[in-house]
Amino acid sequence: MDSVNIVISLVRFFADIHPAIPLFQRSKFLKSYDEGATSRDLIVTIVTVAAKILGPISFWQSEDIHLCINSLLAATAYDQTSPDFQVDLDQFRRECLLAYYTFHQVPGPPAWMRISRLTRRAYAMGLNQIEITDMCSAYDSRMITEDEIENWRYAWWCVYCLDSYSNISFSTPFLVELESINTSLVRRSFADNEVPHLPKIFLPDNVDELWKAVQKVISNPGEREFNIHIITTTILRQAGIVLRLRCAKKRVRDKTTALKNTLASLRLALPPGYLNPSRNALAAESSAHHHTRLTNLLHLHMTRLLISLPEDFKNDETEWLNGWQQSLESCQDVALVVEQWNNQFSSQVDPAICLIIFMTIWITNLQRRNSSADDPLTYADVDRILSGMKMPLHPKTFHRACAISLGGMDEPDDVDTINLTDLWAPCTPGLSV
C-alpha cells in the first residue's frame, strides 16, 4: 500500500471512527506520519480497522483485509506465559482499537473478554492513578511531557468507556471501580495543540456529586464534549448496577431512589438547552457536536429508563403503574433523540447506543403486547417478564426476546429458526433506526 492510500485511510479514520474512541491528536499524528516517526504496526492497525468498519477500499482486497484483522487480533491476544503487563503507548492504543473493533463489529463473549484483559492491563500499569507518579508505571515522570501524559489520560478514559459498555451489555460487574480512579479528566481538546494550563477535574468518588463535575467541565474552556460523555457514561453505569442487583433479587429501592435524585441534579447542572435534542443552529452548534450531545442524551434517557422500571405489581399496583409510565416516557424521549439522528455519523457511534435502542424497542414491544386486542399481556405478565429482564448481550435475553416477539410467554423450543424481524417491527411511532 502506497503512502497516498494510507493517508486517505487515515483521514477516513479520523473523520468517521476516531470521535468514538479519541486516542490520538489528529494534527500531531498526521505530522508524525509524514515525518516517518509513527509505528508501522499502529498504522497497519488503524488502516485495517477503518477498512473493516467503514467498508471495503479500492486499493485493498476484502480477503486481504480479513486476513490482516485476524492476524492483528491473534497477535494481540493475551500471552499467559508473559509476566510483563507493561507496553508502550502505541501498543496500548493498538489494543484499545482492536477491543473497540471487536465490540463494535461483533459484540459477544470474545469482545467482552478482550476488553476485560485490556482493562486489567490498564490497572496493572496504573493508568487509573496517572496523577500519582509512584503508582503509575506507564511513564517515567522525569522524561515525559504533559502532552504525552495527556495521551495516556485519553487512553485510560477510552478503556473506562469500553469497560462500561461491555459490562452494562452483559449485566456483569464492572472491572473499573470509581473509587480507585485518580486520573483527571482530559483538558486538551481535539483542537488544541498542547495541554492548556487549566485546573484538573476529577470524577467524584460519590456519584451523587457528579453534578459538581459537570459544572466544573462546562465552566472551563478545555475539552467539554468528551468529558460530559464520561460523566453520562458514569451515571449509566450506576443504572446498570441497579439492574444487575435487581436481577439477583437484591433490594435496590434505596439505591434507585438515590440514583433518581443524582440523575435529576445532573440534568439540572447541564447547560441551558442541552436536553433539547434539536441542533442549536442559533449557537452555531456543529453537526459533530450535536451528534455527541445526542449520544450523551441517550445515556441519560437510558439511565432513567432502567431506574424507572417497576417491580412487584401485586404489592402496589398504583406505584407499579407510575413506574411503568415513567419507563414509557423515557422510551419516547429516546424516540425524539432518534428522530434527530444523522446517519452520516453512524460509524462514530459507541456500541452502547445500539444496545440502548434495542432495550427501548424491547420495552415498547411489551407495551404493544399489553395493548393488543389479540392475546394481550396483562400488567401482571409484564411485571413477571420485567422481573427477569437482563441486558441485550446476556445469554438469556435472546431467548426471552424471541418468546415475546412470537407472542408466547414460554421460551420456544428452537430459537435458532426464529425470525427476529418481528421483534423490531412493532416499534413506537417515530422510533425508526
Side-chain angles (χ1 to χ4, degrees):
M1 189 185 305
D2 60 48
S3 59
V4 174
N5 289 330
I6 290 178
V7 170
I8 292 173
S9 295
L10 291 177
V11 170
R12 292 178 75 207
F13 168 80
F14 277 104
D16 297 324
I17 297 176
H18 187 253
I21 182 164
L23 292 166
F24 309 99
Q25 195 174 5
R26 183 181 185 276
S27 59
K28 287 191 175 181
F29 183 90
L30 293 177
K31 180 181 178 181
S32 175
Y33 172 75
D34 288 340
E35 295 172 349
T38 307
S39 163
R40 178 184 178 278
D41 290 341
L42 181 58
I43 294 295
V44 170
T45 302
I46 292 174
V47 172
T48 306
V49 167
K52 290 294 290 184
I53 293 178
L54 301 178
I57 47 184
S58 59
F59 50 84
W60 201 2
Q61 294 184 359
S62 298
E63 296 82 1
D64 293 335
I65 298 174
H66 184 70
L67 289 174
C68 189
I69 194 68
N70 286 341
S71 175
L72 290 171
L73 292 172
T76 54
Y78 178 63
D79 184 2
Q80 297 183 3
T81 64
S82 175
D84 189 11
F85 283 96
Q86 192 71 34
V87 293
D88 63 22
L89 179 59
D90 282 349
Q91 174 64 22
F92 192 82
R93 285 166 161 173
R94 289 181 66 218
E95 295 186 17
C96 288
L97 282 172
L98 291 170
Y100 173 80
Y101 162 78
T102 53
F103 194 59
H104 188 281
Q105 296 298 101
V106 195
W112 178 73
M113 288 297 296
R114 180 174 284 271
I115 292 171
S116 298
R117 292 194 296 266
L118 175 67
T119 305
R120 293 188 183 280
R121 183 189 290 277
Y123 259 107
M125 295 172 62
L127 296 188
N128 62 312
Q129 300 278 352
I130 284 179
E131 313 311 325
I132 305 178
T133 55
D134 290 342
M135 298 292 291
C136 181
S137 62
Y139 62 88
D140 186 343
S141 59
R142 299 167 300 178
M143 303 173 61
I144 195 170
T145 66
E146 184 60 30
D147 194 59
E148 292 170 324
I149 296 176
E150 188 79 344
N151 291 336
W152 280 111
R153 291 193 187 98
Y154 267 103
W156 162 254
W157 289 117
C158 286
V159 170
Y160 177 83
C161 290
L162 288 171
D163 175 67
S164 303
Y165 305 153
S166 60
N167 287 296
I168 288 173
S169 306
F170 277 88
S171 297
T172 47
F174 302 103
L175 291 183
V176 176
E177 295 179 346
L178 199 59
E179 297 84 356
S180 73
I181 300 176
N182 202 350
T183 295
S184 72
L185 299 177
V186 298
R187 289 174 292 169
R188 186 188 66 210
S189 71
F190 298 155
D192 292 331
N193 290 322
E194 58 185 22
V195 181
H197 296 288
L198 297 171
K200 294 178 180 179
I201 302 172
F202 294 84
L203 281 184
D205 291 343
N206 300 317
V207 292
D208 56 0
E209 296 182 353
L210 281 175
W211 65 273
K212 295 181 180 179
V214 167
Q215 288 191 328
K216 291 177 182 178
V217 167
I218 63 179
S219 64
N220 278 284
E223 175 56 33
R224 176 171 132 169
E225 300 303 332
F226 185 54
N227 284 334
I228 293 179
H229 180 80
I230 293 169
I231 292 171
T232 59
T233 298
T234 300
I235 197 166
L236 180 59
R237 285 166 61 99
Q238 300 306 307
I241 291 174
V242 168
L243 178 62
R244 176 169 52 82
L245 294 176
R246 171 177 161 167
C247 292
K249 310 305 179 186
K250 303 288 186 178
R251 295 182 179 179
V252 295
R253 183 178 294 272
D254 291 344
K255 289 182 179 292
T256 301
T257 301
L259 190 53
K260 286 181 179 179
N261 294 334
T262 299
L263 178 62
S265 62
L266 176 58
R267 289 165 62 98
L268 288 173
L270 290 167
Y274 194 90
L275 297 175
N276 184 348
S278 299
R279 186 166 71 88
N280 190 347
L282 291 177
E285 182 180 31
S286 69
S287 297
H289 282 169
H290 179 229
H291 166 79
T292 303
R293 184 165 61 85
L294 291 181
T295 300
N296 297 339
L297 290 183
L298 287 175
H299 287 179
L300 297 176
H301 296 328
M302 185 60 175
T303 299
R304 181 170 183 251
L305 171 59
L306 292 180
I307 61 179
S308 298
L309 290 172
E311 58 181 334
D312 201 359
F313 178 75
K314 293 181 180 179
N315 183 53
D316 190 333
E317 294 185 10
T318 301
E319 182 179 357
W320 191 96
L321 289 171
N322 182 54
W324 185 238
Q325 172 69 21
Q326 292 180 28
S327 299
L328 295 177
E329 289 173 0
S330 297
C331 291
Q332 292 177 340
D333 289 336
V334 171
L336 291 174
V337 172
V338 172
E339 285 181 351
Q340 300 293 325
W341 202 259
N342 185 342
N343 288 335
Q344 172 188 350
F345 299 100
S346 293
S347 60
Q348 300 178 13
V349 176
D350 63 65
I353 299 307
C354 299
L355 303 172
I356 289 172
I357 301 300
F358 177 90
M359 290 300 298
T360 303
I361 294 174
W362 193 82
I363 294 296
T364 54
N365 191 48
L366 284 180
Q367 176 63 17
R368 179 192 66 85
R369 287 292 315 283
N370 172 256
S371 306
S372 173
D374 301 325
D375 190 25
L377 294 175
T378 65
Y379 284 128
D381 293 333
V382 173
D383 181 56
R384 181 155 61 91
I385 295 171
L386 290 178
S387 67
M389 188 190 82
K390 298 175 178 62
M391 292 300 285
L393 294 185
H394 191 282
K396 288 195 173 183
T397 299
F398 175 79
H399 298 271
R400 185 170 293 108
C402 291
I404 297 170
S405 69
L406 292 182
M409 291 297 296
D410 298 323
E411 292 184 358
D413 294 330
D414 185 7
V415 297
D416 292 332
T417 63
I418 290 174
N419 185 352
L420 290 183
T421 304
D422 293 338
L423 176 64
W424 293 83
C427 305
T428 303
L431 187 60
S432 58
V433 293

